[in-house]
Amino acid sequence: MPSNKRRRATEGAMVFPVAMFVIGVMIVFSEEPITMERSIQEAQKQVLVQQTTVQAQGPIDPVDCEAITPREPVNISNMQSYKEIPYQVSFSWWDRRLKHPQFGTAEMEYNDSVQTVQRLLRDTEGAFIDVGANAGFMTQYGLALKRPTYAIEPISYNVAKLCEGYRANVAKKYALAATPFFLYHAAAGSEYVPEIAITRPADEVGYFDQSSLSRAAVLQQKVTEERIPLITIDSIIPLSLPVAVLKIDVQGYEYAVLQGAKQLLQREERYPEYVFFEESPTHIQKAGFRVGASQEFLEEMGYNCMKDGGDILCQKL
């Protein structure tokens, strides 16, 4: 693609012929080439910003996905996406969508929460913070948009799936290896703790997205524990980094996560334009928090919150 300097030089030498050619191209090909050009320009701009301003920081090191061994079976498929931005996800073995006869060739369906986050990311600029990233249904979309992406996930199986999906997207060139991707094998909370226990369903049960720092919030009978660090969002996000969306799905511990992001939320600029989080009264109460406390806290931080299905969507005023 020619640079702006080359384009200006060409226009200076051949103003009328070039103008007529451009008009002809626009008429013949409608808006698709313009859309593609804009997408490429935005990607190049994002990569340049990421390479020069974003540095990893925090109490623990991010995961090196190249060193993470795949967890069989590896089931990678395209994911439906807002505005048709292609990306892939490595699905957990228990995902019901794996039974679809066209799995591996057709796009996998997303739920309403994934669609909302995709829309928010596509219509904003800045980094994406995915707390409780699961297998990467939202994380991989942030990377496909060439955004700096921070994912926090406490379950080792899900970390492997995140890395499998990341490698697949880079191989397909849906994501760029140059795009900053910081994956933390940890839980997020209000303070740093070197090691805590998280309870998840047993290996044969699956559904590790239902894991919780509170045993009472895990509904399955067969469970096991993993021990991981507890970190704060404020400890890993650079002050210079603009943030577009903060998404939180942590089985009732949303308030604690927000307390650990207070500096980010109080910023006068570069704050998350949107905060999107799950609110399950049952999980919140079993985790020992008060229903509605997260929304009240965000409103104190200057956000306007509203219900979005079973979730809460808050936008900075």
Side-chain angles (χ1 to χ4, degrees):
M1 179 179 296
S3 66
N4 289 335
K5 288 185 178 180
R6 285 184 59 192
R7 190 179 293 116
R8 285 195 294 268
T10 302
E11 290 172 351
M14 300 178 62
V15 174
F16 180 77
V18 170
M20 294 304 294
F21 175 75
V22 170
I23 292 171
V25 170
M26 291 176 65
I27 293 172
V28 172
F29 294 100
S30 185
E31 65 176 10
E32 185 174 350
I34 297 176
T35 301
M36 179 62 69
E37 181 176 356
R38 286 174 182 166
S39 298
I40 294 172
Q41 289 175 343
E42 288 175 4
Q44 291 172 336
K45 177 181 176 182
Q46 286 289 339
V47 170
L48 178 61
V49 171
Q50 293 155 15
Q51 289 174 330
T52 57
T53 66
V54 181
Q55 298 293 325
Q57 59 180 25
I60 64 172
D61 291 331
V63 171
D64 177 6
C65 274
E66 294 304 317
I68 299 297
T69 304
R71 299 285 288 269
E72 300 294 340
V74 176
N75 297 303
I76 294 175
S77 183
N78 295 333
M79 192 77 182
Q80 286 183 344
S81 66
Y82 179 74
K83 297 287 188 180
E84 299 181 347
I85 303 297
Y87 76 108
Q88 296 185 317
V89 170
S90 184
F91 285 78
S92 304
W93 64 263
W94 57 83
D95 197 306
R96 292 187 179 92
R97 287 168 290 194
L98 296 179
K99 298 179 181 180
H100 193 285
Q102 290 185 309
F103 175 71
T105 58
E107 289 186 324
M108 301 293 269
E109 297 178 355
Y110 46 46
N111 60 29
D112 291 341
S113 298
V114 174
Q115 185 177 19
T116 295
V117 170
Q118 289 180 353
R119 175 178 56 80
L120 295 177
L121 283 172
R122 187 66 177 85
D123 295 345
T124 56
E125 294 182 356
F128 176 39
I129 306 172
D130 191 355
V131 183
N134 198 349
F137 303 106
M138 305 178 197
T139 301
Q140 307 296 355
Y141 187 75
L143 291 167
L145 289 176
K146 282 70 178 179
R147 305 291 183 82
T149 300
Y150 290 73
I152 302 176
E153 172 55 46
I155 305 302
S156 58
Y157 177 88
N158 290 341
V159 168
K161 295 298 146 186
L162 281 157
C163 287
E164 291 162 12
Y166 170 69
R167 292 192 295 258
N169 282 305
V170 170
K172 283 276 190 179
K173 294 184 171 54
Y174 293 158
L176 301 178
T179 301
F181 175 37
F182 301 117
L183 170 58
Y184 292 91
H185 186 188
S190 60
E191 60 182 345
Y192 170 62
V193 180
E195 185 178 87
I196 59 169
I198 186 168
T199 303
R200 65 165 173 80
D203 289 349
E204 63 270 25
V205 176
Y207 299 96
F208 296 160
D209 57 320
Q210 299 175 31
S211 306
S212 176
L213 295 175
S214 170
R215 171 63 185 92
V218 182
L219 304 179
Q220 287 81 4
Q221 294 293 322
K222 290 186 176 182
V223 298
T224 187
E225 284 187 353
E226 292 193 26
R227 305 197 70 84
I228 36 86
L230 183 74
I231 63 174
T232 67
I233 292 175
D234 282 334
S235 70
I236 63 172
I237 304 300
L239 292 174
S240 61
L241 180 67
V243 177
V245 179
L246 166 60
K247 165 259 173 179
I248 307 170
D249 184 357
V250 290
Q251 301 299 97
Y253 276 83
E254 290 77 18
Y255 183 76
V257 173
L258 291 170
Q259 293 297 303
K262 192 171 184 179
Q263 294 177 15
L264 174 66
L265 298 169
Q266 285 180 323
R267 289 180 182 179
E268 293 184 359
E269 56 183 5
R270 305 188 191 94
Y271 49 76
E273 184 172 346
Y274 292 98
V275 178
F276 183 70
F277 63 95
E278 180 186 53
E279 182 165 83
S280 166
T282 300
H283 287 133
I284 292 170
Q285 291 169 347
K286 288 185 176 181
F289 295 97
R290 179 173 58 84
V291 176
S294 295
Q295 181 172 331
E296 291 174 11
F297 175 71
L298 283 166
E299 289 171 348
E300 292 174 4
M301 297 292 104
Y303 285 83
N304 178 47
C305 299
M306 65 184 70
K307 290 283 289 183
D308 188 278
D311 303 310
I312 302 291
L313 175 60
C314 302
Q315 183 179 14
K316 196 80 163 184
L317 296 175

